[in-house]
Amino acid sequence: MAEEKEQRYDPAAIEPKWQRRWAAEPALYAAEPASCGKPKYYVLEMLPYPSGQLHMGHVRNYSIGDALARHMWMRGYNVLHPMGWDAFGLPAENAALKNNTPPREWTLNNIAAMKRQMERLGLGYDWATEVTTCLPEYYRWNQWFFLRMYEKGLVYRKKSKVNWCPKCATVLANEQVVDGCCWRHETTKVDQRDLVQWFFRITAYAQELLDDLDKLDGWPEKVRTMQRNWIGRSEGTDVDFFLAEKADEGIGNSHPSEHRPLAGDPGRDQELEKTRIRVFTTRVDTIFGATSVQLAPQHALVAEFTAADPKLKEQVDELLEQQKKAREAGDLGAIEKHGVPTGRFAINPYNGERIPIWVANYILADYGTGAIMSVPAHDERDFEFATKYGLPIVEVIQPVHKIEGAERLPFLSEDGVLVNSGEYDGLSCEAAQKKLQEIAAAKKFGEATITFRLKDWGVSRQRYWGTPIPMIHCERDGLVQVPDEQLPVVLPAQIDITQQGGSPLSRVPEFVNTKCPKCGGPARRETDTMDTFVDSSWYFYRYTDAKNPNKPFDPKTAQYWFPIDQYIGGVEHAILHLIYSRFWTKVMRDLGMIANDEPARRLFTQGMVIKDGAKMSKSKGNVVSPDEMVARYGADSTRMYALFAAPPDRDLDWQEDGVAGVSRFLARVWRLATKYAPLARSGRGQKAIVPAGVSLKLLRKLHQTIAKITLDFEGRWHFNTCVAAIMELVNDIQAADAQLAAGEVSAPAMLELLRSLVLLLAPFAPYLTAELWEELGEEGYVLRAPWPKSDPELAREDDLEIPVQINGKLVTVVLVAADATPKAIEAAALADEKVQSRTSGKTVAKVIVVPGKLVNLVVK
Ligand SMILES: [Zn+2]
Ligand SMILES: [Zn+2]
């Protein structure tokens, strides 16, 4: 039938029509200037890497952000909802090697493809603010920030270990090392080499990064905990054990601190390093129980010991090899502990006692000072080691309170007092720590210190597809900054990256050879590029002023938009990206560019999209392509399913049946709305009558649904239950079809029902609702219509009739509010006239209230 055909829901017709309309009107999703007077709302989804294909994880992430953005537009906010591309990185170089396509071309093609996918999904982005990090107009500001940070001492170079493939003759990123071998040469072991690398001094902000986590109460607790652990602050004491000179050995009980060179940090000179071993301990109160000092195999002293002792060198090399293997296996914590005695001794500065120096494979050079004091009686790991090698175990802390298991060593609690500790016996652990720290400071063999697990951020990459580091090496002047007016240092467009060995840029003479800005003589450009995490550390500031040719952004505009009101992305970014961008924000604040301390007020981390219980991956063959879903069911159904199938913070197991189900639901909405649209349209301008009967029932459901969804958008974000509530509302309307057909619902009531239904669905199904909005004869875009308000009077349920029994027999019925508490129901029953007359002179022994159902009185 012709009529049936007209009423068929056809996303393949509706969606492209609106996509064209929206594309022709970019102002629809554009942020307005601050002067618009509306409250601002900045909603941001993490920008994707342009691989060329959106995956379902993207679709979910963007559907959440887009629903929120649309809701806020309808609430009357000035919304900034931008999108961009994290466009530097290795895959572009790999693709270039594989397909012989220049990285830039490959990347820009991918961006175009993904942008088409986003537009097809109907995502409402302000494309005027688009940011592409691999373009010079963006990365020149990475270089500019690098120079500002260099001037502030926040950038430095130091020698550091890197992964080196001897076959590639180049540095590998950690993710290119697979089971200890090169990703391209599967049987070639990767070496560790020392290279001079660039670092950002993020540790200068360690304390603030930690403290400010307390302010981020709009962030998931798990992310804050992960960051706290990553920063890893621990309070403790640095203590210098003295190296017993070979000649001293056998004497050494005199207090050594008086006649030794003094240790002042920093600036401990090399001579001092040869006579002292600095250890860091969180338990200086146990120092009298130290029975050995343990050094990392890489410790500077070890090299000295082994120089004259080939046998020891052999043993240390073995330890190094074990550590390397464990590091490659990714589980240093589980290393089987081995050690060797060096034959040398260290002197405990508090009591002059000589204890042996060992080298152990589980001590890491890059953690703390690369040396520890071993206290087997009060440390799990030391206990294991001492037991294995027969080292003495000296108990120096005894519990004060009875503690389960305290009779067994090691005793780890700090709830104890010192024993076997000379003049400090009897002190509590806490008091002893304080006292011993004071002594160390006074006698200059140590001090109270705070250490962080957080390391400075190594940003050097020996890669082509990244931001060139804007520094110049001059033989006369050393390191020279590229002057601001020479920025950007442009990445050469076409280079042969199939060549091997070192930084690709080092093989481009036109790039490398330059003039020194200071002396004008010949000089060489730095050929390292920056870690791509630099790009994503501040991209969201650029969105506020994306086309500014003179500055990274205008501070006033940034101040209007920042902090981000809602940031949405995967929990896999909890550490690196989210710490680096917090660091960058603090640096920009200290450069006077912004006023906020933190980039984002609220953070939401959505769950993964999986299939058949496993992560989608090509190798498993369980990848669901968004394009395919959109082609089969439309963008609205695909997006809405991504929101409906699971709470947004949980993993979502993709079921195509579910998408089909959502599509059937939208088809029902379509049929219902088109069927009653003529009636609704005729109700425009008519005076509404007080609803009763089925009208009242449906309007009550409507206003309850409005209240629920509005509340969810304010923070609970149970979009799955929002969609479910809309489905219930539609079911109720459908169930009343006979009454609707009989004209029991007035035209104005029908208008309110359908209009509100479309508004409620608009954040979830933008295409369908745009079409129905027009169908209802409404002017303008649904996105510009105000979000419906719930009328609490209408939403309230009627009073309930509650039967009241006395000793199991029905006596009367009382009227109570639908949401009355059991106490209020009991009071209403006891106040009833019939109940009072039947209980007068008797005792009410018990009142049983079944809320919403029944009251029973037991009367004696
Ligand atoms: Zn290789
Ligand atoms: Zn020079």
Side-chain angles (χ1 to χ4, degrees), residues 164-170 172 181-186 188 190 500:
W164 181 267
C165 171
K167 274 233 179 102
C168 295
T170 189
L172 302 181
C181 293
C182 172
W183 62 300
R184 288 174 59 205
H185 303 104
E186 285 170 25
T188 306
V190 170
Q500 296 183 349

Side-chain angles (χ1 to χ4, degrees), residues 474-478 480 516-521 523:
C474 168
E475 256 175 50
R476 197 175 318 169
D477 300 305
V480 182
C516 169
K518 256 195 194 154
C519 68

